[in-house]
Amino acid sequence: MCAAVARGTVSEALIGALGREPGRASALCAGDEAGRADPYGDDLQLALYLCYELHYRGLDGVDDGWEWDPELLRLRGALEARFLDALRADAPVHAGPRAAQEALDALLVEPVHGKGLSFYLKDEGELWQLREYAALRSLYHLKEADPHAWVIPRLTGRAKAGLVAVEYDEFGAGRAERAHQRLYAELMEDLDLDPAYGHYLEAATAPLLATVNLMSVLGLHRALRGGLVGHFAALEITSSPGSRRIAQALERVGAGPAAVGFHAEHVEADAVHEQVVRREVVGGLLADEPGLGDDVAFGVDATVWLEDRFSDAVLSAWGRGASALREPPEAAPEAA
């Protein structure tokens, strides 16, 4: 992943420390600043994203020893607390003994006249807007399914079997060339975007980073396993209809077969995954641990709230005739 440019005092301190050897993190004693940072702002979200990336593929030029550095983990904990406290105050919609079921049921309601991002792209989106959307979403889709794999050892029985069955499909069902991460890289190539992992981090906005950071914070904490199952369910249940609209948008603007094919793959696969997730993953988890119902509902509600916030930010920028990225995407480099 390319080096990042700081977006505030917290991310500046973090990036400065990561340039040194682990164990020399006195500059990371920024708990007070982390506690005052905008929980949804660029500074906190970039800092969290960089902390989490140490647990995925690492950062170019950064010693792998930083992954478990105590001072870095202390800073990360302060940032996570700020983010989660804000989400718990802003996002919940469902509570009570049927919270999880009601949250999942709400996902199945498709508006006749939808106003979200996928509806806009289907009906009005131009090629440059679809390229921007693809560049933003690459921060997740180039590691698609990885964040949810954290929960596998924390589940048992039906929940574990169901989640692994869905993840198996996400990772290509034994065929590396069919892994969704690889299919997304091909989508980006089709749209003349750079498919390198993390390439568009500098272009990514805080609302987008927050959607990806939610997966990581829920996945890296066993105590939040119910939230990650709720997040997983929200993605799988809403993916098929949303992917159908994006595929239609790409067909309408004349995008190539790889770009259309990525979303077409999700239309079919996620329609099946929805049933497995509802019955086996969520159903199995709550049969084993009924006390996690509110956590599952929180995972669903936080996912929807952050996705709506991201959608509003993108549509607002486009409505002003501006780019939805911090910097417009350049064309992919020419092949040698």
Side-chain angles (χ1 to χ4, degrees), residues 3 15 17-20 22 54 58-67 72:
I15 292 168
L18 291 176
R20 301 192 293 274
L54 294 168
L59 299 166
D60 289 347
V62 174
D63 191 308
D64 287 343
W66 276 110
E67 181 179 6
L72 186 143

Side-chain angles (χ1 to χ4, degrees), residues 100-319:
Q101 185 62 52
E102 291 172 356
L104 294 174
D105 288 346
L107 296 175
L108 297 173
V109 179
E110 276 279 298
V112 177
H113 303 291
K115 298 181 180 179
L117 189 49
S118 65
F119 289 95
Y120 172 84
L121 289 171
K122 178 178 75 73
D123 296 330
E124 303 179 49
E126 300 178 24
L127 179 58
W128 70 270
Q129 293 170 323
L130 285 155
R131 293 182 73 245
E132 288 200 346
Y133 178 78
L136 285 166
R137 288 298 196 188
S138 70
L139 272 291
Y140 167 61
H141 282 302
L142 290 178
K143 63 180 171 210
E144 184 172 341
D146 289 348
H148 301 108
W150 295 114
V151 82
I152 293 172
R154 295 160 183 169
L155 302 177
T156 59
R158 289 166 52 206
K160 175 176 283 192
L163 189 135
V164 170
V166 175
E167 289 278 272
Y168 179 67
D169 287 346
E170 301 284 350
F171 291 124
R175 297 170 57 195
E177 73 277 8
R178 298 302 301 166
H180 290 183
Q181 297 173 10
R182 179 61 223 159
L183 295 180
Y184 200 80
E186 293 171 359
L187 170 149
M188 297 184 76
E189 292 168 346
D190 220 348
L191 294 175
D192 200 24
L193 295 168
D194 193 318
Y197 181 87
H199 178 80
Y200 291 102
L201 176 59
E202 287 304 301
T205 57
L208 182 279
L209 293 178
T211 67
V212 184
N213 285 337
L214 176 64
M215 306 180 205
S216 296
V217 69
L218 296 177
L220 285 167
H221 292 271
R222 181 180 176 276
L224 300 175
R225 62 195 179 280
L228 188 67
V229 166
H231 182 282
F232 187 66
L235 286 192
E236 294 298 329
I237 290 171
T238 59
S239 175
S240 184
S243 293
R244 179 178 292 106
R245 289 188 285 271
I246 301 298
Q248 291 169 342
L250 288 162
E251 287 179 332
R252 181 173 53 77
V253 300
V260 176
F262 173 83
H263 291 284
E265 167 82 9
H266 284 68
V267 173
E268 180 177 348
D270 291 342
V272 176
H273 292 169
E274 172 199 329
Q275 299 299 317
V276 176
V277 170
R278 283 175 62 89
R279 296 174 183 174
E280 302 304 316
V281 183
V282 177
L285 175 68
L286 295 183
D288 292 339
E289 300 186 82
L292 294 183
D294 284 345
D295 290 350
V296 172
F298 170 71
V300 173
D301 290 341
T303 302
V304 171
W305 193 83
L306 287 176
E307 287 291 335
D308 286 347
R309 189 171 177 275
F310 166 66
S311 176
D312 290 345
V314 171
L315 292 175
S316 176
W318 289 345

Side-chain angles (χ1 to χ4, degrees), residues 5-92:
V5 176
R7 302 185 190 180
T9 57
V10 178
S11 56
E12 182 178 26
L14 174 62
I15 292 168
L18 291 176
R20 301 192 293 274
E21 293 181 7
R24 300 181 179 181
S26 58
L28 285 176
C29 297
D32 289 343
E33 293 182 5
R36 292 192 299 268
D38 178 353
Y40 308 118
D42 275 300
D43 191 26
L44 183 144
Q45 292 299 328
L46 175 61
L48 261 186
Y49 191 90
L50 294 175
C51 287
Y52 292 143
E53 201 55 42
L54 294 168
H55 296 289
Y56 291 105
R57 304 190 194 180
L59 299 166
D60 289 347
V62 174
D63 191 308
D64 287 343
W66 276 110
E67 181 179 6
W68 298 109
D69 181 86
E71 290 301 320
L72 186 143
L73 294 179
R74 187 172 292 113
L75 173 63
R76 197 190 89 189
L79 297 170
E80 289 174 335
R82 182 76 169 146
F83 184 38
L84 288 170
D85 285 349
L87 282 175
R88 288 183 174 120
D90 296 335

